[in-house]
Amino acid sequence: MFGLEMPPLNAETWAIIGTLVLLEGLLSADNALVLAVMVRHLAGDLQRKALAYGIGGAVVLRILGVLLASYILEYWWLRAFGAAYLAYLAISHFVKHKTSEEEGAQKARGRGFWATVVLLNLTDLAFSVDSILAGVALIPRGMPREQGLTIVVLGGIVGLILMRFAATIFLRLLNKYPAFDNVAYALVGWIAVKLGVETLEAAHEIYPAVPALHIPSPLFWGVMAAIAIIGSYLATRTPAMTDTQAEAEAERVTHQIDDMAVDAADGRIDGR
């Protein structure tokens, strides 16, 4: 049911993998920043315990997300839900008021330990769904399901690796240039368009009355490149921090995650 098959390593496959690395890196760093802010109101030991449950939840939810991806690749109506969710995600990022770290910490102060843990895992769920759906949407419609699922699995693994081992690099980038967040979500929005168009193509095969649209591969990747290049240029025009400040803030968040990993490994998560 969840058979995997290595896709051909052509230019499009490498472009998909490269895009997933970029998106996973930015979204994973964003996830780490959010988790760190959400536990700040707790005492030091409880912060580590809450982060342990939060990161553990991220691992479990990524695995469940990959299993769900196998169904999304198979059923067109699930792809429709995925396209709608990614579109909502991108639109809401640009139209909603963005909560600052201080405002987020202020709202969190009234929450207890378990309420914080629940919210951490709900946040993990949102980030896991984002990255898995983005992986599904990037798969060419004609690619065999087993090959597409392999790419989604690779994307999930990359996300988990980047959340820890490359977290400092992407955290430093987001700290210095917060507008890179906008680049990531602009890419997600265009990916949502692709998934929506492919959903209509699949639905047209079953229901001919549904209009059949198509985005040529060169057009899709051309727009992706334009968003990445122009967005990166605009994002780097107004740094929010110096290199030193950005690195110090990234190290602080990374150390929090490191402390959590040590606690989980030596048993202190249970207070022993």
Side-chain angles (χ1 to χ4, degrees):
M1 180 179 180
F2 302 115
L4 301 178
E5 179 184 327
M6 196 64 188
L9 297 178
N10 53 29
E12 186 170 30
T13 299
W14 285 115
I16 293 170
I17 293 173
T19 301
L20 283 177
V21 169
L22 174 64
L23 287 177
E24 289 284 359
L26 290 173
L27 293 177
S28 295
D30 206 15
N31 194 0
L33 282 171
V34 170
L35 296 185
V37 170
M38 290 176 70
V39 300
R40 279 187 187 175
H41 66 288
L42 298 173
D45 289 342
L46 290 180
Q47 283 187 19
R48 289 191 291 269
K49 290 180 181 180
L51 276 173
Y53 287 123
I55 302 299
V59 174
V60 173
L61 290 169
R62 284 297 177 104
I63 294 172
L64 293 176
V66 169
L67 298 181
L68 176 63
S70 67
Y71 290 101
I72 297 175
L73 287 168
E74 186 171 354
Y75 300 107
W76 70 267
W77 52 273
L78 284 176
R79 295 170 73 93
F81 281 112
Y85 177 77
L86 288 178
Y88 162 78
L89 186 74
I91 293 169
S92 64
H93 171 79
F94 289 103
V95 302
K96 286 197 314 187
H97 168 67
K98 194 166 176 105
T99 304
S100 69
E101 281 197 18
E102 292 75 15
E103 290 172 329
Q106 184 68 31
K107 290 179 181 178
R109 285 196 181 100
R111 300 186 192 122
F113 173 76
W114 287 111
T116 300
V117 169
V118 170
L119 286 172
L120 285 174
N121 280 277
L122 288 175
T123 302
D124 285 332
L125 175 61
F127 278 103
S128 297
V129 169
D130 300 347
S131 58
I132 294 298
L133 285 177
V136 169
L138 287 170
I139 305 305
R141 188 163 173 262
M143 178 176 283
R145 178 171 163 274
E146 293 77 12
Q147 294 180 6
L149 187 57
T150 298
I151 292 178
V152 174
V153 170
L154 289 174
I157 294 172
V158 166
L160 291 173
I161 293 172
L162 290 177
M163 192 169 182
R164 170 56 194 93
F165 295 104
T168 304
I169 297 172
F170 287 97
L171 283 170
R172 188 164 58 236
L173 182 67
L174 283 179
N175 284 328
K176 186 174 181 180
Y177 304 111
F180 264 109
D181 227 10
N182 296 334
V183 179
Y185 285 100
L187 291 172
V188 167
W190 178 236
I191 290 170
V193 172
K194 174 181 182 288
L195 186 57
V197 168
E198 290 181 349
T199 299
L200 289 176
E201 283 187 89
H204 176 76
E205 295 175 0
I206 303 172
Y207 307 104
V210 175
L213 302 175
H214 178 67
I215 297 179
S217 184
L219 173 61
F220 172 73
W221 289 109
V223 174
M224 289 284 284
I227 292 173
I229 294 170
I230 296 173
S232 298
Y233 169 73
L234 295 175
T236 53
R237 292 180 64 187
T238 53
M241 296 181 179
T242 65
D243 287 333
T244 303
Q245 291 171 326
E247 185 167 358
E249 183 63 16
E251 291 290 343
R252 183 187 64 77
V253 175
T254 305
H255 286 158
Q256 279 187 284
I257 297 175
D258 285 343
D259 289 343
M260 172 279 300
V262 171
D263 285 351
D266 67 14
R268 280 185 289 160
I269 184 175
D270 295 320
R272 297 192 298 272

